[in-house]
mmCIF file with all atom_site columns, all heavy atoms in Angstrom:
data_model
loop_
_atom_site.group_PDB
_atom_site.id
_atom_site.type_symbol
_atom_site.label_atom_id
_atom_site.label_alt_id
_atom_site.label_comp_id
_atom_site.label_asym_id
_atom_site.label_entity_id
_atom_site.label_seq_id
_atom_site.pdbx_PDB_ins_code
_atom_site.Cartn_x
_atom_site.Cartn_y
_atom_site.Cartn_z
_atom_site.occupancy
_atom_site.B_iso_or_equiv
_atom_site.pdbx_formal_charge
_atom_site.auth_seq_id
_atom_site.auth_comp_id
_atom_site.auth_asym_id
_atom_site.auth_atom_id
_atom_site.pdbx_PDB_model_num
ATOM 1   N N   . PHE U 1 32  ? 9.368  25.111 -35.648 1.00 0.00 ? 265 PHE U N   1
ATOM 2   C CA  . PHE U 1 32  ? 9.987  24.295 -36.682 1.00 0.00 ? 265 PHE U CA  1
ATOM 3   C C   . PHE U 1 32  ? 9.014  23.916 -37.739 1.00 0.00 ? 265 PHE U C   1
ATOM 4   O O   . PHE U 1 32  ? 9.332  23.973 -38.937 1.00 0.00 ? 265 PHE U O   1
ATOM 5   C CB  . PHE U 1 32  ? 10.645 23.045 -36.107 1.00 0.00 ? 265 PHE U CB  1
ATOM 6   C CG  . PHE U 1 32  ? 11.423 22.338 -37.213 1.00 0.00 ? 265 PHE U CG  1
ATOM 7   C CD1 . PHE U 1 32  ? 12.659 22.795 -37.584 1.00 0.00 ? 265 PHE U CD1 1
ATOM 8   C CD2 . PHE U 1 32  ? 10.845 21.333 -37.949 1.00 0.00 ? 265 PHE U CD2 1
ATOM 9   C CE1 . PHE U 1 32  ? 13.317 22.225 -38.662 1.00 0.00 ? 265 PHE U CE1 1
ATOM 10  C CE2 . PHE U 1 32  ? 11.487 20.765 -38.998 1.00 0.00 ? 265 PHE U CE2 1
ATOM 11  C CZ  . PHE U 1 32  ? 12.740 21.261 -39.371 1.00 0.00 ? 265 PHE U CZ  1
ATOM 12  N N   . ARG U 1 92  ? 18.097 30.132 -44.628 1.00 0.00 ? 325 ARG U N   1
ATOM 13  C CA  . ARG U 1 92  ? 19.406 29.541 -44.491 1.00 0.00 ? 325 ARG U CA  1
ATOM 14  C C   . ARG U 1 92  ? 19.319 28.053 -44.152 1.00 0.00 ? 325 ARG U C   1
ATOM 15  O O   . ARG U 1 92  ? 18.260 27.559 -43.775 1.00 0.00 ? 325 ARG U O   1
ATOM 16  C CB  . ARG U 1 92  ? 20.123 30.241 -43.309 1.00 0.00 ? 325 ARG U CB  1
ATOM 17  C CG  . ARG U 1 92  ? 20.355 31.710 -43.541 1.00 0.00 ? 325 ARG U CG  1
ATOM 18  C CD  . ARG U 1 92  ? 21.337 31.925 -44.682 1.00 0.00 ? 325 ARG U CD  1
ATOM 19  N NE  . ARG U 1 92  ? 21.792 33.309 -44.714 1.00 0.00 ? 325 ARG U NE  1
ATOM 20  C CZ  . ARG U 1 92  ? 22.853 33.761 -44.031 1.00 0.00 ? 325 ARG U CZ  1
ATOM 21  N NH1 . ARG U 1 92  ? 23.530 32.946 -43.215 1.00 0.00 ? 325 ARG U NH1 1
ATOM 22  N NH2 . ARG U 1 92  ? 23.233 35.023 -44.105 1.00 0.00 ? 325 ARG U NH2 1
ATOM 23  N N   . LEU U 1 99  ? 24.125 27.790 -35.478 1.00 0.00 ? 332 LEU U N   1
ATOM 24  C CA  . LEU U 1 99  ? 25.217 28.674 -35.012 1.00 0.00 ? 332 LEU U CA  1
ATOM 25  C C   . LEU U 1 99  ? 24.665 29.999 -34.531 1.00 0.00 ? 332 LEU U C   1
ATOM 26  O O   . LEU U 1 99  ? 25.083 30.502 -33.503 1.00 0.00 ? 332 LEU U O   1
ATOM 27  C CB  . LEU U 1 99  ? 26.171 28.871 -36.148 1.00 0.00 ? 332 LEU U CB  1
ATOM 28  C CG  . LEU U 1 99  ? 27.035 27.613 -36.257 1.00 0.00 ? 332 LEU U CG  1
ATOM 29  C CD1 . LEU U 1 99  ? 27.609 27.528 -37.585 1.00 0.00 ? 332 LEU U CD1 1
ATOM 30  C CD2 . LEU U 1 99  ? 28.096 27.648 -35.175 1.00 0.00 ? 332 LEU U CD2 1
ATOM 31  N N   . ALA U 1 103 ? 24.878 31.411 -30.795 1.00 0.00 ? 336 ALA U N   1
ATOM 32  C CA  . ALA U 1 103 ? 25.424 32.786 -30.449 1.00 0.00 ? 336 ALA U CA  1
ATOM 33  C C   . ALA U 1 103 ? 24.420 33.522 -29.574 1.00 0.00 ? 336 ALA U C   1
ATOM 34  O O   . ALA U 1 103 ? 24.804 34.195 -28.635 1.00 0.00 ? 336 ALA U O   1
ATOM 35  C CB  . ALA U 1 103 ? 25.718 33.577 -31.728 1.00 0.00 ? 336 ALA U CB  1
ATOM 36  N N   . ILE U 1 105 ? 22.345 32.266 -27.480 1.00 0.00 ? 338 ILE U N   1
ATOM 37  C CA  . ILE U 1 105 ? 22.431 31.670 -26.161 1.00 0.00 ? 338 ILE U CA  1
ATOM 38  C C   . ILE U 1 105 ? 23.574 32.354 -25.367 1.00 0.00 ? 338 ILE U C   1
ATOM 39  O O   . ILE U 1 105 ? 23.405 32.747 -24.172 1.00 0.00 ? 338 ILE U O   1
ATOM 40  C CB  . ILE U 1 105 ? 22.651 30.185 -26.188 1.00 0.00 ? 338 ILE U CB  1
ATOM 41  C CG1 . ILE U 1 105 ? 21.443 29.476 -26.718 1.00 0.00 ? 338 ILE U CG1 1
ATOM 42  C CG2 . ILE U 1 105 ? 23.045 29.640 -24.812 1.00 0.00 ? 338 ILE U CG2 1
ATOM 43  C CD1 . ILE U 1 105 ? 21.627 27.952 -26.752 1.00 0.00 ? 338 ILE U CD1 1
ATOM 44  N N   . GLU U 1 223 ? 18.764 25.312 -20.582 1.00 0.00 ? 456 GLU U N   1
ATOM 45  C CA  . GLU U 1 223 ? 19.395 24.426 -21.540 1.00 0.00 ? 456 GLU U CA  1
ATOM 46  C C   . GLU U 1 223 ? 19.109 22.925 -21.370 1.00 0.00 ? 456 GLU U C   1
ATOM 47  O O   . GLU U 1 223 ? 18.811 22.275 -22.371 1.00 0.00 ? 456 GLU U O   1
ATOM 48  C CB  . GLU U 1 223 ? 20.903 24.706 -21.613 1.00 0.00 ? 456 GLU U CB  1
ATOM 49  C CG  . GLU U 1 223 ? 21.078 26.092 -22.231 1.00 0.00 ? 456 GLU U CG  1
ATOM 50  C CD  . GLU U 1 223 ? 22.486 26.641 -21.971 1.00 0.00 ? 456 GLU U CD  1
ATOM 51  O OE1 . GLU U 1 223 ? 23.390 25.887 -21.651 1.00 0.00 ? 456 GLU U OE1 1
ATOM 52  O OE2 . GLU U 1 223 ? 22.617 27.865 -22.106 1.00 0.00 ? 456 GLU U OE2 1
ATOM 53  N N   . PHE U 1 230 ? 13.841 18.841 -27.150 1.00 0.00 ? 463 PHE U N   1
ATOM 54  C CA  . PHE U 1 230 ? 14.197 18.248 -28.416 1.00 0.00 ? 463 PHE U CA  1
ATOM 55  C C   . PHE U 1 230 ? 13.890 16.736 -28.487 1.00 0.00 ? 463 PHE U C   1
ATOM 56  O O   . PHE U 1 230 ? 13.333 16.208 -29.443 1.00 0.00 ? 463 PHE U O   1
ATOM 57  C CB  . PHE U 1 230 ? 15.702 18.446 -28.716 1.00 0.00 ? 463 PHE U CB  1
ATOM 58  C CG  . PHE U 1 230 ? 16.027 19.821 -29.214 1.00 0.00 ? 463 PHE U CG  1
ATOM 59  C CD1 . PHE U 1 230 ? 17.249 20.385 -28.991 1.00 0.00 ? 463 PHE U CD1 1
ATOM 60  C CD2 . PHE U 1 230 ? 15.101 20.527 -29.970 1.00 0.00 ? 463 PHE U CD2 1
ATOM 61  C CE1 . PHE U 1 230 ? 17.568 21.633 -29.463 1.00 0.00 ? 463 PHE U CE1 1
ATOM 62  C CE2 . PHE U 1 230 ? 15.401 21.788 -30.427 1.00 0.00 ? 463 PHE U CE2 1
ATOM 63  C CZ  . PHE U 1 230 ? 16.654 22.364 -30.183 1.00 0.00 ? 463 PHE U CZ  1
ATOM 64  N N   . ILE U 1 238 ? 8.023  16.126 -35.559 1.00 0.00 ? 471 ILE U N   1
ATOM 65  C CA  . ILE U 1 238 ? 8.131  17.559 -35.717 1.00 0.00 ? 471 ILE U CA  1
ATOM 66  C C   . ILE U 1 238 ? 6.832  18.173 -36.250 1.00 0.00 ? 471 ILE U C   1
ATOM 67  O O   . ILE U 1 238 ? 6.226  17.606 -37.174 1.00 0.00 ? 471 ILE U O   1
ATOM 68  C CB  . ILE U 1 238 ? 9.266  17.897 -36.659 1.00 0.00 ? 471 ILE U CB  1
ATOM 69  C CG1 . ILE U 1 238 ? 10.587 17.584 -35.971 1.00 0.00 ? 471 ILE U CG1 1
ATOM 70  C CG2 . ILE U 1 238 ? 9.231  19.334 -37.126 1.00 0.00 ? 471 ILE U CG2 1
ATOM 71  C CD1 . ILE U 1 238 ? 11.787 17.807 -36.829 1.00 0.00 ? 471 ILE U CD1 1
ATOM 72  N N   . SER U 1 281 ? 22.804 5.990  -12.667 1.00 0.00 ? 514 SER U N   1
ATOM 73  C CA  . SER U 1 281 ? 23.422 6.171  -13.980 1.00 0.00 ? 514 SER U CA  1
ATOM 74  C C   . SER U 1 281 ? 22.428 5.741  -15.088 1.00 0.00 ? 514 SER U C   1
ATOM 75  O O   . SER U 1 281 ? 22.259 6.387  -16.106 1.00 0.00 ? 514 SER U O   1
ATOM 76  C CB  . SER U 1 281 ? 24.685 5.379  -14.138 1.00 0.00 ? 514 SER U CB  1
ATOM 77  O OG  . SER U 1 281 ? 25.502 5.609  -13.037 1.00 0.00 ? 514 SER U OG  1
ATOM 78  N N   . MET U 1 285 ? 20.036 7.809  -18.192 1.00 0.00 ? 518 MET U N   1
ATOM 79  C CA  . MET U 1 285 ? 20.069 7.479  -19.638 1.00 0.00 ? 518 MET U CA  1
ATOM 80  C C   . MET U 1 285 ? 18.709 6.992  -20.166 1.00 0.00 ? 518 MET U C   1
ATOM 81  O O   . MET U 1 285 ? 18.556 6.862  -21.358 1.00 0.00 ? 518 MET U O   1
ATOM 82  C CB  . MET U 1 285 ? 21.106 6.363  -19.901 1.00 0.00 ? 518 MET U CB  1
ATOM 83  C CG  . MET U 1 285 ? 22.520 6.763  -19.509 1.00 0.00 ? 518 MET U CG  1
ATOM 84  S SD  . MET U 1 285 ? 23.652 5.352  -19.529 1.00 0.00 ? 518 MET U SD  1
ATOM 85  C CE  . MET U 1 285 ? 23.953 5.253  -21.269 1.00 0.00 ? 518 MET U CE  1
ATOM 86  N N   . TYR U 1 288 ? 16.865 8.718  -23.085 1.00 0.00 ? 521 TYR U N   1
ATOM 87  C CA  . TYR U 1 288 ? 17.584 8.653  -24.384 1.00 0.00 ? 521 TYR U CA  1
ATOM 88  C C   . TYR U 1 288 ? 17.499 7.243  -25.002 1.00 0.00 ? 521 TYR U C   1
ATOM 89  O O   . TYR U 1 288 ? 17.411 7.101  -26.198 1.00 0.00 ? 521 TYR U O   1
ATOM 90  C CB  . TYR U 1 288 ? 19.049 9.076  -24.171 1.00 0.00 ? 521 TYR U CB  1
ATOM 91  C CG  . TYR U 1 288 ? 19.122 10.448 -23.548 1.00 0.00 ? 521 TYR U CG  1
ATOM 92  C CD1 . TYR U 1 288 ? 19.400 10.571 -22.138 1.00 0.00 ? 521 TYR U CD1 1
ATOM 93  C CD2 . TYR U 1 288 ? 18.859 11.598 -24.288 1.00 0.00 ? 521 TYR U CD2 1
ATOM 94  C CE1 . TYR U 1 288 ? 19.424 11.807 -21.569 1.00 0.00 ? 521 TYR U CE1 1
ATOM 95  C CE2 . TYR U 1 288 ? 18.905 12.850 -23.658 1.00 0.00 ? 521 TYR U CE2 1
ATOM 96  C CZ  . TYR U 1 288 ? 19.174 12.924 -22.311 1.00 0.00 ? 521 TYR U CZ  1
ATOM 97  O OH  . TYR U 1 288 ? 19.153 14.134 -21.729 1.00 0.00 ? 521 TYR U OH  1
ATOM 98  N N   . ILE U 1 296 ? 14.213 3.690  -33.844 1.00 0.00 ? 529 ILE U N   1
ATOM 99  C CA  . ILE U 1 296 ? 14.378 2.435  -34.613 1.00 0.00 ? 529 ILE U CA  1
ATOM 100 C C   . ILE U 1 296 ? 12.995 2.069  -35.178 1.00 0.00 ? 529 ILE U C   1
ATOM 101 O O   . ILE U 1 296 ? 12.848 1.645  -36.305 1.00 0.00 ? 529 ILE U O   1
ATOM 102 C CB  . ILE U 1 296 ? 14.971 1.366  -33.716 1.00 0.00 ? 529 ILE U CB  1
ATOM 103 C CG1 . ILE U 1 296 ? 16.405 1.706  -33.402 1.00 0.00 ? 529 ILE U CG1 1
ATOM 104 C CG2 . ILE U 1 296 ? 14.880 -0.004 -34.419 1.00 0.00 ? 529 ILE U CG2 1
ATOM 105 C CD1 . ILE U 1 296 ? 17.008 0.798  -32.367 1.00 0.00 ? 529 ILE U CD1 1
ATOM 106 N N   . THR U 1 300 ? 10.483 9.066  -37.892 1.00 0.00 ? 533 THR U N   1
ATOM 107 C CA  . THR U 1 300 ? 10.001 10.424 -37.911 1.00 0.00 ? 533 THR U CA  1
ATOM 108 C C   . THR U 1 300 ? 9.084  10.715 -36.698 1.00 0.00 ? 533 THR U C   1
ATOM 109 O O   . THR U 1 300 ? 8.324  11.668 -36.700 1.00 0.00 ? 533 THR U O   1
ATOM 110 C CB  . THR U 1 300 ? 9.218  10.774 -39.159 1.00 0.00 ? 533 THR U CB  1
ATOM 111 O OG1 . THR U 1 300 ? 8.151  9.752  -39.332 1.00 0.00 ? 533 THR U OG1 1
ATOM 112 C CG2 . THR U 1 300 ? 10.119 10.725 -40.400 1.00 0.00 ? 533 THR U CG2 1
ATOM 113 N N   . ARG F 2 121 ? 19.555 7.252  -39.411 1.00 0.00 ? 144 ARG F N   1
ATOM 114 C CA  . ARG F 2 121 ? 18.232 6.836  -39.885 1.00 0.00 ? 144 ARG F CA  1
ATOM 115 C C   . ARG F 2 121 ? 17.405 8.056  -40.226 1.00 0.00 ? 144 ARG F C   1
ATOM 116 O O   . ARG F 2 121 ? 16.432 7.981  -40.898 1.00 0.00 ? 144 ARG F O   1
ATOM 117 C CB  . ARG F 2 121 ? 17.493 5.985  -38.838 1.00 0.00 ? 144 ARG F CB  1
ATOM 118 C CG  . ARG F 2 121 ? 18.192 4.665  -38.513 1.00 0.00 ? 144 ARG F CG  1
ATOM 119 C CD  . ARG F 2 121 ? 17.527 4.041  -37.342 1.00 0.00 ? 144 ARG F CD  1
ATOM 120 N NE  . ARG F 2 121 ? 16.145 3.632  -37.633 1.00 0.00 ? 144 ARG F NE  1
ATOM 121 C CZ  . ARG F 2 121 ? 15.768 2.529  -38.228 1.00 0.00 ? 144 ARG F CZ  1
ATOM 122 N NH1 . ARG F 2 121 ? 16.701 1.670  -38.613 1.00 0.00 ? 144 ARG F NH1 1
ATOM 123 N NH2 . ARG F 2 121 ? 14.502 2.232  -38.442 1.00 0.00 ? 144 ARG F NH2 1
ATOM 124 N N   . VAL F 2 125 ? 17.074 18.270 -39.440 1.00 0.00 ? 148 VAL F N   1
ATOM 125 C CA  . VAL F 2 125 ? 16.983 18.802 -38.097 1.00 0.00 ? 148 VAL F CA  1
ATOM 126 C C   . VAL F 2 125 ? 16.845 17.668 -37.065 1.00 0.00 ? 148 VAL F C   1
ATOM 127 O O   . VAL F 2 125 ? 17.299 17.776 -35.967 1.00 0.00 ? 148 VAL F O   1
ATOM 128 C CB  . VAL F 2 125 ? 15.809 19.818 -38.059 1.00 0.00 ? 148 VAL F CB  1
ATOM 129 C CG1 . VAL F 2 125 ? 14.514 19.114 -38.117 1.00 0.00 ? 148 VAL F CG1 1
ATOM 130 C CG2 . VAL F 2 125 ? 15.898 20.686 -36.832 1.00 0.00 ? 148 VAL F CG2 1
ATOM 131 N N   . TYR F 2 126 ? 16.229 16.561 -37.496 1.00 0.00 ? 149 TYR F N   1
ATOM 132 C CA  . TYR F 2 126 ? 16.157 15.392 -36.572 1.00 0.00 ? 149 TYR F CA  1
ATOM 133 C C   . TYR F 2 126 ? 17.559 14.970 -36.198 1.00 0.00 ? 149 TYR F C   1
ATOM 134 O O   . TYR F 2 126 ? 17.863 14.655 -35.030 1.00 0.00 ? 149 TYR F O   1
ATOM 135 C CB  . TYR F 2 126 ? 15.483 14.204 -37.217 1.00 0.00 ? 149 TYR F CB  1
ATOM 136 C CG  . TYR F 2 126 ? 13.987 14.221 -37.104 1.00 0.00 ? 149 TYR F CG  1
ATOM 137 C CD1 . TYR F 2 126 ? 13.148 14.523 -38.167 1.00 0.00 ? 149 TYR F CD1 1
ATOM 138 C CD2 . TYR F 2 126 ? 13.362 13.844 -35.897 1.00 0.00 ? 149 TYR F CD2 1
ATOM 139 C CE1 . TYR F 2 126 ? 11.784 14.524 -38.044 1.00 0.00 ? 149 TYR F CE1 1
ATOM 140 C CE2 . TYR F 2 126 ? 12.003 13.820 -35.780 1.00 0.00 ? 149 TYR F CE2 1
ATOM 141 C CZ  . TYR F 2 126 ? 11.180 14.150 -36.859 1.00 0.00 ? 149 TYR F CZ  1
ATOM 142 O OH  . TYR F 2 126 ? 9.846  14.130 -36.748 1.00 0.00 ? 149 TYR F OH  1
ATOM 143 N N   . MET F 2 129 ? 19.083 17.239 -33.602 1.00 0.00 ? 152 MET F N   1
ATOM 144 C CA  . MET F 2 129 ? 18.498 17.085 -32.240 1.00 0.00 ? 152 MET F CA  1
ATOM 145 C C   . MET F 2 129 ? 18.921 15.768 -31.604 1.00 0.00 ? 152 MET F C   1
ATOM 146 O O   . MET F 2 129 ? 19.146 15.684 -30.430 1.00 0.00 ? 152 MET F O   1
ATOM 147 C CB  . MET F 2 129 ? 16.979 17.171 -32.320 1.00 0.00 ? 152 MET F CB  1
ATOM 148 C CG  . MET F 2 129 ? 16.515 18.523 -32.780 1.00 0.00 ? 152 MET F CG  1
ATOM 149 S SD  . MET F 2 129 ? 14.793 18.893 -32.458 1.00 0.00 ? 152 MET F SD  1
ATOM 150 C CE  . MET F 2 129 ? 13.985 17.980 -33.738 1.00 0.00 ? 152 MET F CE  1
ATOM 151 N N   . ALA F 2 133 ? 20.989 15.095 -28.241 1.00 0.00 ? 156 ALA F N   1
ATOM 152 C CA  . ALA F 2 133 ? 20.432 14.344 -27.163 1.00 0.00 ? 156 ALA F CA  1
ATOM 153 C C   . ALA F 2 133 ? 21.410 13.204 -26.711 1.00 0.00 ? 156 ALA F C   1
ATOM 154 O O   . ALA F 2 133 ? 21.568 13.000 -25.485 1.00 0.00 ? 156 ALA F O   1
ATOM 155 C CB  . ALA F 2 133 ? 19.082 13.738 -27.579 1.00 0.00 ? 156 ALA F CB  1
ATOM 156 N N   . GLN F 2 136 ? 23.985 14.643 -24.566 1.00 0.00 ? 159 GLN F N   1
ATOM 157 C CA  . GLN F 2 136 ? 23.476 14.911 -23.172 1.00 0.00 ? 159 GLN F CA  1
ATOM 158 C C   . GLN F 2 136 ? 23.418 13.624 -22.392 1.00 0.00 ? 159 GLN F C   1
ATOM 159 O O   . GLN F 2 136 ? 23.720 13.588 -21.174 1.00 0.00 ? 159 GLN F O   1
ATOM 160 C CB  . GLN F 2 136 ? 22.074 15.528 -23.297 1.00 0.00 ? 159 GLN F CB  1
ATOM 161 C CG  . GLN F 2 136 ? 21.651 16.214 -22.028 1.00 0.00 ? 159 GLN F CG  1
ATOM 162 C CD  . GLN F 2 136 ? 22.347 17.582 -21.824 1.00 0.00 ? 159 GLN F CD  1
ATOM 163 O OE1 . GLN F 2 136 ? 23.323 17.894 -22.444 1.00 0.00 ? 159 GLN F OE1 1
ATOM 164 N NE2 . GLN F 2 136 ? 21.824 18.345 -20.861 1.00 0.00 ? 159 GLN F NE2 1
ATOM 165 N N   . PHE F 2 141 ? 25.517 10.575 -17.877 1.00 0.00 ? 164 PHE F N   1
ATOM 166 C CA  . PHE F 2 141 ? 26.122 9.334  -17.427 1.00 0.00 ? 164 PHE F CA  1
ATOM 167 C C   . PHE F 2 141 ? 27.442 9.615  -16.703 1.00 0.00 ? 164 PHE F C   1
ATOM 168 O O   . PHE F 2 141 ? 27.709 9.114  -15.613 1.00 0.00 ? 164 PHE F O   1
ATOM 169 C CB  . PHE F 2 141 ? 26.371 8.440  -18.629 1.00 0.00 ? 164 PHE F CB  1
ATOM 170 C CG  . PHE F 2 141 ? 26.965 7.097  -18.275 1.00 0.00 ? 164 PHE F CG  1
ATOM 171 C CD1 . PHE F 2 141 ? 26.162 6.132  -17.655 1.00 0.00 ? 164 PHE F CD1 1
ATOM 172 C CD2 . PHE F 2 141 ? 28.324 6.843  -18.453 1.00 0.00 ? 164 PHE F CD2 1
ATOM 173 C CE1 . PHE F 2 141 ? 26.710 4.913  -17.251 1.00 0.00 ? 164 PHE F CE1 1
ATOM 174 C CE2 . PHE F 2 141 ? 28.872 5.631  -18.058 1.00 0.00 ? 164 PHE F CE2 1
ATOM 175 C CZ  . PHE F 2 141 ? 28.067 4.670  -17.480 1.00 0.00 ? 164 PHE F CZ  1
ATOM 176 N N   . SER F 2 144 ? 26.877 11.010 -13.216 1.00 0.00 ? 167 SER F N   1
ATOM 177 C CA  . SER F 2 144 ? 26.292 10.139 -12.188 1.00 0.00 ? 167 SER F CA  1
ATOM 178 C C   . SER F 2 144 ? 27.099 8.897  -11.950 1.00 0.00 ? 167 SER F C   1
ATOM 179 O O   . SER F 2 144 ? 26.776 8.100  -11.067 1.00 0.00 ? 167 SER F O   1
ATOM 180 C CB  . SER F 2 144 ? 24.839 9.825  -12.524 1.00 0.00 ? 167 SER F CB  1
ATOM 181 O OG  . SER F 2 144 ? 24.805 9.130  -13.789 1.00 0.00 ? 167 SER F OG  1
ATOM 182 N N   . HIS F 2 254 ? 27.818 22.438 -24.662 1.00 0.00 ? 277 HIS F N   1
ATOM 183 C CA  . HIS F 2 254 ? 28.533 23.634 -24.990 1.00 0.00 ? 277 HIS F CA  1
ATOM 184 C C   . HIS F 2 254 ? 29.839 23.316 -25.751 1.00 0.00 ? 277 HIS F C   1
ATOM 185 O O   . HIS F 2 254 ? 30.271 24.044 -26.650 1.00 0.00 ? 277 HIS F O   1
ATOM 186 C CB  . HIS F 2 254 ? 28.848 24.484 -23.734 1.00 0.00 ? 277 HIS F CB  1
ATOM 187 C CG  . HIS F 2 254 ? 27.802 25.486 -23.476 1.00 0.00 ? 277 HIS F CG  1
ATOM 188 N ND1 . HIS F 2 254 ? 27.935 26.766 -23.900 1.00 0.00 ? 277 HIS F ND1 1
ATOM 189 C CD2 . HIS F 2 254 ? 26.614 25.382 -22.846 1.00 0.00 ? 277 HIS F CD2 1
ATOM 190 C CE1 . HIS F 2 254 ? 26.819 27.474 -23.524 1.00 0.00 ? 277 HIS F CE1 1
ATOM 191 N NE2 . HIS F 2 254 ? 26.024 26.619 -22.884 1.00 0.00 ? 277 HIS F NE2 1
ATOM 192 N N   . ILE F 2 264 ? 33.230 26.795 -38.118 1.00 0.00 ? 287 ILE F N   1
ATOM 193 C CA  . ILE F 2 264 ? 32.454 27.830 -38.845 1.00 0.00 ? 287 ILE F CA  1
ATOM 194 C C   . ILE F 2 264 ? 33.203 29.165 -38.935 1.00 0.00 ? 287 ILE F C   1
ATOM 195 O O   . ILE F 2 264 ? 33.256 29.756 -40.002 1.00 0.00 ? 287 ILE F O   1
ATOM 196 C CB  . ILE F 2 264 ? 31.093 28.088 -38.200 1.00 0.00 ? 287 ILE F CB  1
ATOM 197 C CG1 . ILE F 2 264 ? 30.345 26.795 -37.996 1.00 0.00 ? 287 ILE F CG1 1
ATOM 198 C CG2 . ILE F 2 264 ? 30.301 29.106 -39.010 1.00 0.00 ? 287 ILE F CG2 1
ATOM 199 C CD1 . ILE F 2 264 ? 30.143 25.996 -39.239 1.00 0.00 ? 287 ILE F CD1 1
ATOM 200 N N   . VAL F 2 307 ? 28.028 34.560 -38.991 1.00 0.00 ? 330 VAL F N   1
ATOM 201 C CA  . VAL F 2 307 ? 27.039 33.666 -39.563 1.00 0.00 ? 330 VAL F CA  1
ATOM 202 C C   . VAL F 2 307 ? 26.150 34.446 -40.564 1.00 0.00 ? 330 VAL F C   1
ATOM 203 O O   . VAL F 2 307 ? 25.827 33.963 -41.624 1.00 0.00 ? 330 VAL F O   1
ATOM 204 C CB  . VAL F 2 307 ? 26.139 32.984 -38.466 1.00 0.00 ? 330 VAL F CB  1
ATOM 205 C CG1 . VAL F 2 307 ? 25.024 32.205 -39.098 1.00 0.00 ? 330 VAL F CG1 1
ATOM 206 C CG2 . VAL F 2 307 ? 26.991 32.130 -37.614 1.00 0.00 ? 330 VAL F CG2 1
ATOM 207 N N   . LEU F 2 308 ? 25.735 35.682 -40.127 1.00 0.00 ? 331 LEU F N   1
ATOM 208 C CA  . LEU F 2 308 ? 24.820 36.425 -40.962 1.00 0.00 ? 331 LEU F CA  1
ATOM 209 C C   . LEU F 2 308 ? 25.496 37.030 -42.222 1.00 0.00 ? 331 LEU F C   1
ATOM 210 O O   . LEU F 2 308 ? 24.881 37.079 -43.250 1.00 0.00 ? 331 LEU F O   1
ATOM 211 C CB  . LEU F 2 308 ? 24.128 37.523 -40.127 1.00 0.00 ? 331 LEU F CB  1
ATOM 212 C CG  . LEU F 2 308 ? 23.172 37.014 -39.117 1.00 0.00 ? 331 LEU F CG  1
ATOM 213 C CD1 . LEU F 2 308 ? 22.594 38.222 -38.306 1.00 0.00 ? 331 LEU F CD1 1
ATOM 214 C CD2 . LEU F 2 308 ? 22.011 36.258 -39.733 1.00 0.00 ? 331 LEU F CD2 1
#
Side-chain angles (χ1 to χ4, degrees):
Chain U
F265 186 80
R325 299 293 193 86
L332 284 157
I338 292 182
E456 290 163 19
F463 280 152
I471 289 176
S514 312
M518 298 170 80
Y521 305 100
I529 292 171
T533 55
Chain F
R144 294 172 65 85
V148 72
Y149 274 106
M152 296 196 283
Q159 197 76 346
F164 182 75
S167 60
H277 266 266
I287 306 306
V330 175
L331 290 178

